Amino acid sequence: MLRRCFLRSLAAAPAAGLVEAVAWQRGGGMAAAEPFKPVDEANTPIGAAKGIHPGRVVWARDAKATSWDGATGHWWDDAYTDQKAVHQMTSRVALELTGQKNEKQAWDALFRSFNETHKLGRAGYRPGEKIAIKINCNQDRSPEWGVSAPPSGRAPGGAPQGRGPGGDARGGPPPGRGGGPPRGALNGLPSPHAVVALVTQLIHAGVRGEDIMVYDTTGQRNVGQPIFTRIRANADKQFQAVQFLVGTDYDLGGRLSATPDMANPIQFSKQGVPAAYLAKQVTEAKYMINMALLRPHGMAGVTLIGKNHFGSVHFPNDGGWSPRALHANVMRTLPMGSYNALVDLMGHRHLGGKTMLYVLDGLYSAAHNEGNVIKWASFDDHWASSILMSQDPVAIDSVGLDILRNEPRATEVRGSADNYLHEAALAPKPPSGTTYQPDSRGTLASLGVHEHWNDAAARKYSRNLGRKEGIELITC
């Protein structure tokens, strides 16, 4: 990381976070954080559950969907992911989440639930209402997946290298951190097949393609060709009309560039954290789907639903389309009961406030945010092969964390990885004492329900045990 960027981004960092960030900068790993251990007992829910079926999280896993041998071609090639199986998984979780009998009814129930919850009546989707799908393209930083970005000082159409997310040339730890592969070989990307399945569900449910936008706006991130070409390969005019909003398009064409909406700031609830802004194309959308990755994270412990919007923010005076200004306030070395910037993102009216559905893409999960995809010891040395859905952002991240913390190869799940979940669940009176007010609506209410399952074998949450509060996990 460039020294001037490193020092500026950590000027306000607490000591624990600074120690960990220094270790990262030196390429020596993040040994300052101990392996994650919950501070709360199993099946002790906190917060208020959300959704048609409150606190429900649905998890589909199909090992037959993923067949890459780890050496031939790329995991995202059609030969190694069964698109039909992914469509079936996506359909099952939507039906189980809503309790409906077919996909069209399931999506109509989701739209109507959102509108009723937001006091907008019982209407479903109407043509012209825009839907923004936020995916995590943290590793999508070159014209071609699996190939390094141009070696020049500026990527085509993008910000200067050296000012990317995180302050270094590519937005993260130095190459080779933890013995990992060179940057060009990184594979921790969204599954094109999972994105295609989600878009297909929406279109088949009656949503116009022109009303769908897939995006990640951080500086050097793109929505790459494996996703773009699979959607556009469908000759149906609805698929041809789907839009893509990116930080950099690498002269590939077909993508939109983000324009910051300066009228709708995110006011972070800690003194000294500057206001951030979103793309106008995002604030103009009525609905959002937060489609994150099931993945550990070297700085925050996990990167799930909560952290996905690091790819949405613009800081006019501190990096532009980059989340660097927030790094010091999500560190996994911060003590439990600390302010966490993720809560402000999860609660802002144009982010969590307009999210109708949360999805975790876990078909091929990476070792961490800068790492290769890994087979899971906890799944008999196979790929994670999973898709999860919920209407409750805290509940789905709680389940995602439990899945990750029980995977022996997910070694980056460390420190206070669930601090933000405690803060979000108890947002009106959080352990940190923070008054979370990211926008003009006043102090946040509880953003969802948090708890940990009883054990990794039974995977039972409170509602699975017959209680009237907490999480309900359905596997299908």
Side-chain angles (χ1 to χ4, degrees), residues 27 29 174-182 368 372:
R177 169 176 167 262
H368 51 78
N372 272 354

Side-chain angles (χ1 to χ4, degrees), residues 53 55-63 65-66 85-98 292-295 304 357-365 376-380 382-392 395-408 452-461 464 471-476:
H53 303 281
R56 178 174 291 187
V57 180
V58 184
W59 175 14
R61 183 171 186 274
D62 184 354
T66 52
V86 178
H87 279 305
Q88 291 173 343
M89 292 168 69
T90 306
S91 177
R92 290 202 306 272
V93 291
L95 296 181
E96 290 286 355
L97 181 62
T98 58
L293 297 174
L294 180 67
R295 187 169 72 185
L304 303 167
L357 180 66
Y358 299 90
V359 185
L360 286 177
D361 165 12
L363 290 182
Y364 289 93
S365 294
W376 286 41
S378 54
F379 295 147
D380 298 321
H382 196 79
W383 307 108
S385 310
S386 297
I387 293 176
L388 294 91
M389 280 189 186
S390 183
Q391 292 177 279
D392 188 317
I396 193 171
D397 272 16
S398 298
V399 174
L401 173 57
D402 278 346
I403 295 171
L404 289 170
R405 73 185 177 99
N406 286 286
E407 168 48 46
H452 294 289
W453 63 30
N454 58 347
D455 59 66
R459 299 169 180 165
K460 300 293 185 182
Y461 290 92
N464 299 116
I471 294 172
E472 176 191 26
L473 176 61
I474 295 177
T475 56
C476 62

Side-chain angles (χ1 to χ4, degrees), residues 77-405:
D77 294 340
D78 287 336
Y80 307 118
T81 302
D82 185 333
Q83 184 69 70
K84 182 178 179 180
V86 178
H87 279 305
Q88 291 173 343
M89 292 168 69
T90 306
S91 177
R92 290 202 306 272
V93 291
L95 296 181
E96 290 286 355
L97 181 62
T98 58
Q100 299 297 317
K101 294 181 180 180
N102 63 56
E103 295 170 6
K104 191 168 185 178
Q105 290 176 352
W107 283 96
D108 186 59
L110 289 170
F111 284 114
R112 291 180 185 276
S113 172
F114 175 91
N115 285 319
E116 185 174 35
T117 300
H118 288 74
K119 299 180 180 180
L120 299 173
R122 282 285 295 169
Y125 158 81
R126 294 172 178 170
E129 296 177 337
K130 304 295 184 180
I131 304 169
I133 303 175
K134 173 62 180 71
I135 61 175
N136 186 340
C137 294
N138 183 43
Q139 291 303 311
D140 194 342
R141 305 172 188 162
S142 64
E144 182 180 354
W145 280 16
V147 176
S148 297
S152 62
R154 184 180 293 272
Q161 295 187 18
R163 291 299 302 276
D168 69 341
R170 300 294 302 281
R177 169 176 167 262
R183 289 198 184 279
L186 297 174
N187 292 329
L189 295 154
S191 166
H193 301 84
V195 179
V196 167
L198 179 63
V199 170
T200 301
Q201 286 256 315
L202 286 168
I203 291 175
H204 287 178
V207 177
R208 300 189 311 178
E210 63 194 87
D211 289 338
I212 300 171
M213 179 183 71
V214 181
Y215 87 96
D216 190 316
T217 55
T218 296
Q220 290 184 329
R221 299 184 192 178
N222 187 26
V223 177
Q225 293 296 84
I227 298 173
F228 180 90
T229 57
R230 278 174 176 81
I231 292 174
R232 289 293 172 86
N234 192 315
D236 187 321
K237 65 179 183 179
Q238 301 301 335
F239 289 84
Q240 296 296 311
V242 172
Q243 297 183 320
F244 302 85
L245 181 71
V246 302
T248 301
D249 70 358
Y250 296 96
D251 295 329
L252 294 169
R255 281 85 163 165
L256 304 173
S257 297
T259 300
D261 180 358
M262 306 306 289
N264 289 287
I266 303 172
Q267 301 287 358
F268 291 94
S269 304
K270 180 180 178 182
Q271 186 175 4
V273 182
Y277 299 86
L278 304 167
K280 285 185 177 180
Q281 296 94 329
V282 171
T283 60
E284 290 170 355
K286 179 179 179 181
Y287 305 104
M288 180 172 289
I289 296 175
N290 186 331
M291 188 177 196
L293 297 174
L294 180 67
R295 187 169 72 185
H297 193 273
M299 179 187 292
V302 292
T303 176
L304 303 167
I305 292 301
K307 197 171 176 298
N308 197 18
H309 282 304
F310 264 35
S312 296
V313 292
H314 176 77
F315 290 89
N317 300 313
D318 198 348
W321 292 104
S322 165
R324 183 183 61 216
L326 302 178
H327 284 173
N329 292 291
V330 300
M331 291 285 189
R332 62 187 181 179
T333 46
L334 294 171
M336 293 295 292
S338 298
Y339 164 78
N340 197 294
L342 300 186
V343 181
D344 284 319
L345 296 178
M346 294 169 72
H348 191 268
R349 67 191 186 97
H350 284 296
L351 296 176
K354 62 171 52 170
T355 302
M356 59 175 289
L357 180 66
Y358 299 90
V359 185
L360 286 177
D361 165 12
L363 290 182
Y364 289 93
S365 294
H368 51 78
N369 53 304
E370 299 281 333
N372 272 354
V373 293
I374 57 171
K375 291 185 177 180
W376 286 41
S378 54
F379 295 147
D380 298 321
D381 201 35
H382 196 79
W383 307 108
S385 310
S386 297
I387 293 176
L388 294 91
M389 280 189 186
S390 183
Q391 292 177 279
D392 188 317
V394 180
I396 193 171
D397 272 16
S398 298
V399 174
L401 173 57
D402 278 346
I403 295 171
L404 289 170
R405 73 185 177 99

